C-alpha cells in the first residue's frame, strides 16, 4: 500500500503540465469531389494518397515553421528524419469506415492545431488543381495546334477555290449549273436568243465540264474542315473552361475548430496504468524477496540441525 501510494503521487506529479506538455486535438473529415480515379483505386484512396504526399507535408512544415515549433535545430545531423517523425506523431491522416478521410492534428496551441488541418485541406485543393491544370494545359495545347492546322488547311482550300473560280469564272457548282441551264433553256425555247450571251454560256459549260469536279471537291473539303474545326473548338473551350475554373476537390463534412480541452496526455490513464504496473511489479518483487528469505531460513535451520 505504501508503494502504491508513492506511485500514485509520482504519477500525478510526472503527468502534470510541468513535465508533459498538454496537446489539443483538432479534426477535419472530408470526402473527395470533382475527381476521378487514375487506376483501380477509389476516389477516397486517391485523396488519402495525395494528402500524404511529400509536398503537402513540406508545405505545412514551411508555413508553420515546425522545426522551430518542435524545437529541432536545423543543423542537426538527422534534421529531416526528426522533423518528419514529429510531423507523423502529431498529424494523422486515415480513412474512416464510411470512405471519408479523417485529418487529425495535435498541438500545444489549439488554434494552431485547427489551422494546420485547414491548411492541409487547402494544400490538397491546390495540389489537385495543379495536377488537373497540367493535364488540361496539355489538352489545350494539343487542340490549339489542331485548330491552327485546320485554319491553315481551310485558308489553303479557300485560296484554291478562289483561284479556280477566277480561272473558270465559276462562282459555285450549284449557282453556275443553274445559270448554264437557264442560258440553254432560253436559247432553245424562246425566240429572244439575242438576249442570251451564248458564247459565255458555252464557255461556262466547258469550264464546268473541266473544273466541276474540282469545284465540288474543294467546296466539300472546306465544309468538312469547317465541321472538324468546330468540333476541335468545342473540345478546346471545354478544356479552357476547366483550366480557368477555381474548383475545390473535397467536401468538408466536419470543419476543424480550436479545442477547449486537452487530448494529451490522458492523466487518469497514466495514473491507472502506473498503479497497475506498480502493483504487479511490487507483488513480483515481494514474492522474490519472501522466497529468498524462506530459502535462507530453511538453510539456517538445516545447518542448526546438522
Amino acid at each position: 500500500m505504501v508503494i502504491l501510494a508513492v506511485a500514485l503521487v509520482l504519477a500525478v506529479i510526472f503527468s502534470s503540465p510541468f513535465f508533459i506538455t498538454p496537446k489539443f486535438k483538432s479534426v477535419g473529415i472530408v470526402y473527395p469531389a470533382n475527381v476521378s480515379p487514375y487506376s483501380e483505386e477509389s476516389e477516397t484512396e486517391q485523396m488519402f494518397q495525395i494528402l500524404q504526399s511529400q509536398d503537402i507535408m513540406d508545405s505545412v512544415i514551411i508555413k508553420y515553421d515546425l522545426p522551430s515549433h518542435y524545437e529541432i535545430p536545423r543543423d542537426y545531423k538527422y534534421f529531416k528524419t526528426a522533423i518528419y517523425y514529429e510531423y507523423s506523431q502529431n498529424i494523422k491522416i486515415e480513412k474512416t469506415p464510411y470512405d471519408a478521410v479523417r485529418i487529425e492534428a495535435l498541438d500545444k496551441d489549439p488554434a494552431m492545431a485547427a489551422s494546420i488541418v485547414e491548411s492541409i485541406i487547402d494544400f490538397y485543393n491546390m495540389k489537385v488543381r495543379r495536377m488537373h491544370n497540367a493535364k488540361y494545359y496539355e489538352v489545350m495545347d494539343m487542340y490549339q495546334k489542331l485548330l491552327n492546322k485546320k485554319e491553315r488547311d481551310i485558308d489553303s482550300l479557300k485560296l484554291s477555290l478562289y483561284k479556280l473560280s477566277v480561272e473558270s469564272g465559276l462562282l459555285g457548282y450549284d449557282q453556275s449549273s443553274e445559270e448554264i441551264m437557264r442560258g440553254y433553256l432560253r436559247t432553245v425555247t424562246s425566240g429572244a436568243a439575242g438576249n442570251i450571251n451564248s458564247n459565255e454560256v458555252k464557255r461556262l459549260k466547258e469550264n464546268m465540264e473541266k473544273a466541276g469536279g474540282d469545284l465540288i471537291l474543294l467546296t466539300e473539303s472546306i465544309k468538312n474542315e469547317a465541321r472538324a474545326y468546330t468540333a476541335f473548338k468545342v473540345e478546346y473551350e471545354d478544356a479552357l473552361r476547366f483550366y480557368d475554373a477555381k474548383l475545390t476537390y473535397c467536401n468538408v463534412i466536419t470543419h476543424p475548430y480550436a479545442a477547449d480541452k486537452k487530448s494529451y496526455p490522458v492523466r487518469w490513464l497514466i495514473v491507472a496504468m502506473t498503479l497497475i504496473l506498480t502493483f504487479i511489479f511490487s507483488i513480483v518483487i515481494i514474492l522474490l524477496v519472501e522466497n529468498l528469505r524462506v530459502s535462507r531460513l530453511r538453510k539456517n535451520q538445516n545447518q542448526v540441525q546438522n
Side-chain angles (χ1 to χ4, degrees):
M1 295 300 294
V2 171
I3 292 173
L4 289 177
V6 172
L8 175 63
V9 173
L10 292 177
V12 171
I13 292 174
F14 285 103
S15 63
S16 66
F18 295 102
F19 292 92
I20 301 179
T21 302
K23 293 182 179 180
F24 299 83
K25 181 190 296 183
S26 186
V27 175
I29 298 178
V30 294
Y31 276 104
N34 297 323
V35 295
S36 56
Y38 293 118
S39 58
E40 295 181 357
E41 64 185 2
S42 67
E43 289 86 350
T44 301
E45 290 170 340
Q46 180 194 93
M47 182 184 212
F48 178 72
Q49 192 69 35
I50 294 174
L51 284 168
Q52 291 185 312
S53 62
Q54 185 74 43
D55 52 347
I56 289 182
M57 189 185 306
D58 290 338
S59 297
V60 174
I61 291 172
I62 293 171
K63 179 176 180 179
Y64 294 97
D65 193 16
L66 293 186
S68 299
H69 189 66
Y70 294 150
E71 299 179 356
I72 301 175
R74 296 182 183 275
D75 57 353
Y76 177 48
K77 182 179 180 180
Y78 302 108
F79 169 75
K80 285 188 175 294
T81 301
I83 190 63
Y84 291 145
Y85 174 78
E86 287 295 330
Y87 183 97
S88 65
Q89 291 299 110
N90 291 286
I91 299 171
K92 305 288 185 182
I93 299 173
E94 57 188 9
K95 291 172 59 180
T96 71
Y98 305 103
D99 271 345
V101 176
R102 173 188 173 96
I103 306 170
E104 176 185 303
L106 277 175
D107 199 86
K108 58 186 178 182
D109 181 357
M112 184 170 179
S115 181
I116 287 176
V117 176
E118 289 281 5
S119 294
I120 291 175
I121 296 173
D122 291 339
F123 287 134
Y124 166 80
N125 282 321
M126 287 189 286
K127 180 175 178 61
V128 177
R129 188 177 297 120
R130 286 196 303 270
M131 293 168 62
H132 284 198
N133 282 354
K135 295 305 176 184
Y136 285 128
Y137 183 82
E138 291 177 1
V139 173
M140 289 167 54
D141 184 62
M142 176 188 69
Y143 280 113
Q144 185 63 64
K145 291 178 179 177
L146 288 173
L147 288 173
N148 293 338
K149 182 179 182 302
K150 289 299 177 185
E151 287 179 354
R152 291 193 298 269
D153 292 343
I154 292 173
D155 289 341
S156 177
L157 289 170
K158 285 182 177 180
L159 180 60
S160 298
L161 181 61
Y162 173 76
K163 289 180 179 179
L164 183 62
S165 298
V166 171
E167 292 173 358
S168 64
L170 301 175
L171 300 177
Y173 185 84
D174 295 336
Q175 183 179 0
S176 298
S177 298
E178 183 178 353
E179 292 297 325
I180 294 171
M181 186 60 67
R182 285 179 180 176
Y184 267 90
L185 289 176
R186 288 178 182 177
T187 301
V188 173
T189 60
S190 67
N195 296 330
I196 301 299
N197 190 340
S198 301
N199 293 331
E200 183 64 19
V201 172
K202 184 178 179 181
R203 188 184 70 83
L204 288 175
K205 180 177 178 296
E206 291 175 353
N207 288 341
M208 179 64 75
E209 291 173 351
K210 294 178 182 178
D214 293 337
L215 184 66
I216 294 174
L217 180 61
L218 287 173
T219 303
E220 291 300 317
S221 296
I222 291 174
K223 290 180 180 179
N224 292 334
E225 292 295 325
R227 283 192 289 267
Y229 181 88
T230 302
F232 291 151
K233 185 71 171 178
V234 170
E235 295 293 337
Y236 173 82
E237 289 176 349
D238 281 344
L240 178 61
R241 177 164 55 88
F242 283 108
Y243 181 82
D244 290 336
K246 302 299 181 183
L247 299 177
T248 57
Y249 300 93
C250 67
N251 292 321
V252 182
I253 307 303
T254 299
H255 288 271
Y257 64 91
D260 54 4
K261 183 180 179 181
K262 68 179 179 64
S263 298
Y264 172 87
V266 184
R267 295 188 70 186
W268 70 266
L269 183 60
I270 294 175
V271 172
M273 291 299 298
T274 300
L275 291 177
I276 292 171
L277 293 175
T278 301
F279 177 76
I280 295 173
F281 184 72
S282 300
I283 293 297
V284 172
I285 295 299
I286 290 172
L287 289 175
L288 291 174
V289 171
E290 285 299 313
N291 286 335
L292 181 61
R293 187 176 66 85
V294 170
S295 297
R296 287 179 177 177
L297 286 175
R298 288 177 180 176
K299 184 177 180 181
N300 292 335
Q301 288 177 356
N302 291 333
Q303 289 177 351
V304 169
Q305 290 175 359
N306 293 332

